[in-house]
Amino acid sequence: QGAVQNHETQQLYEHNVNTWGNKIELATQTAAQSYNDPAALGKAQGDIDEAVRQLAVLKGMDREGAQLLAQKAHDQFSTSVIGKFMERKEWAGARAYFNAHISDMTPATAAKVDDILKKNENLSAMTDTVQNVWNDKSLTYEQKTDALLQRYKDDPDTQKAAIEQLHLHQGAYKQTQDEAYGTVWDMYSGLNPSTPKLNMKQIHASVEWGKLDGERRAEFQKKIELWNRQ
């Protein structure tokens, strides 16, 4: 009978440990999903603190052991919330939460999270800079390239990434121009059975014509002049 009781006691112990452990995991997941809801985060944090207290009692932990358990839970909680901010690319929110809750993390965890945040913040700032340079219609593509080379002259890795992003903008722009130009030509020439033939007034009113820049419109004009001479 004593063996049976011991077995039942052990089963109950394991059940309670698993229950409170699962509550910590569930509260951490809830925190991540409610990353921008202070009320929900506060409740989740309270649930975790209660679960940690219950686990510490169940396991007969001393004060140091209970503190280590609480620290691990707080680390997981904070990194899950910050991770969700970063997943959504909400860098300002991630930084604000990090600054407000840095004391909830171990120094090692805080340093790791800070490093990841800085890298992503720098990448986001660089992306914004490239976008602004690309949007500047007063600059030629070569001037845009030179501007970014100069901007990041002291940071070769960021400089390389910025130029690569600029190339991507240029590639996407060229593809859009080529596709619009091809459609406009089909409208004018009538060579593509799937594209209705239009007159110039209709072409000028079309969405595709509106996509063409001045250079491609001039190119189109020369092409139709040659076409009409044939």
Side-chain angles (χ1 to χ4, degrees):
Q1 185 177 0
V4 172
Q5 288 179 337
N6 288 339
H7 177 68
E8 290 177 347
T9 299
Q10 181 63 26
Q11 282 188 319
L12 179 60
Y13 168 78
E14 292 176 356
H15 170 75
N16 289 337
V17 167
N18 288 335
T19 296
W20 290 111
N22 289 338
K23 286 188 177 183
I24 291 176
E25 183 177 348
L26 178 60
T28 301
Q29 293 173 354
T30 299
Q33 296 303 317
S34 307
Y35 72 103
N36 57 355
D37 184 342
L41 290 177
K43 182 181 184 308
Q45 183 67 71
D47 291 343
I48 285 178
D49 290 342
E50 176 61 20
V52 166
R53 282 193 292 270
Q54 294 293 339
L55 274 176
V57 172
L58 278 170
K59 293 184 175 184
M61 292 181 171
D62 59 16
R63 183 175 180 180
E64 181 179 356
Q67 288 176 339
L68 289 174
L69 180 62
Q71 185 64 75
K72 180 180 178 181
H74 291 161
D75 263 10
Q76 292 174 338
F77 182 92
S78 296
T79 54
S80 70
V81 173
I82 294 171
K84 182 59 69 170
F85 272 111
M86 292 194 290
E87 181 184 318
R88 301 292 178 85
K89 300 187 184 303
E90 297 178 19
W91 311 119
R95 174 58 67 183
Y97 189 91
F98 173 81
N99 290 340
H101 297 274
I102 188 172
S103 61
D104 295 338
M105 294 175 272
T106 63
T109 298
K112 183 177 180 179
V113 172
D114 187 41
D115 184 58
I116 294 173
L117 267 175
K118 284 178 179 176
K119 289 179 179 178
N120 282 285
E121 287 167 340
N122 291 339
L123 176 60
S124 178
M126 181 269 288
T127 298
D128 289 342
T129 297
V130 173
Q131 185 68 59
N132 290 335
V133 170
W134 172 254
N135 290 340
D136 189 344
K137 303 303 181 184
S138 69
L139 301 177
T140 65
Y141 182 71
E142 289 72 21
Q143 289 172 327
K144 293 174 182 180
T145 300
D146 289 342
L148 291 174
L149 289 174
Q150 182 63 27
R151 171 68 176 79
Y152 297 110
K153 63 180 180 179
D154 297 326
D155 187 349
D157 290 340
T158 302
Q159 185 186 67
K160 179 182 178 182
I163 296 302
E164 287 176 351
Q165 282 199 16
L166 186 66
H167 286 338
L168 289 176
H169 280 295
Q170 177 70 0
Y173 177 75
K174 185 178 184 303
Q175 181 177 350
T176 299
Q177 288 291 302
D178 288 346
E179 290 174 353
Y181 186 91
T183 301
V184 168
W185 176 248
D186 288 343
M187 291 174 180
Y188 181 82
S189 67
L191 296 177
N192 187 345
S194 64
T195 302
K197 188 175 183 350
L198 304 179
N199 59 43
M200 284 305 298
K201 183 178 180 180
Q202 292 171 317
I203 289 175
H204 287 164
S206 70
V207 173
E208 298 305 315
W209 179 262
K211 293 179 182 178
L212 294 179
D213 60 23
E215 182 177 344
R216 296 309 293 272
R217 290 182 182 184
E219 179 184 336
F220 177 77
Q221 188 61 42
K222 290 180 180 179
K223 185 172 183 176
I224 63 174
E225 289 175 0
L226 291 173
W227 171 270
N228 290 332
R229 291 174 189 169
Q230 296 177 357

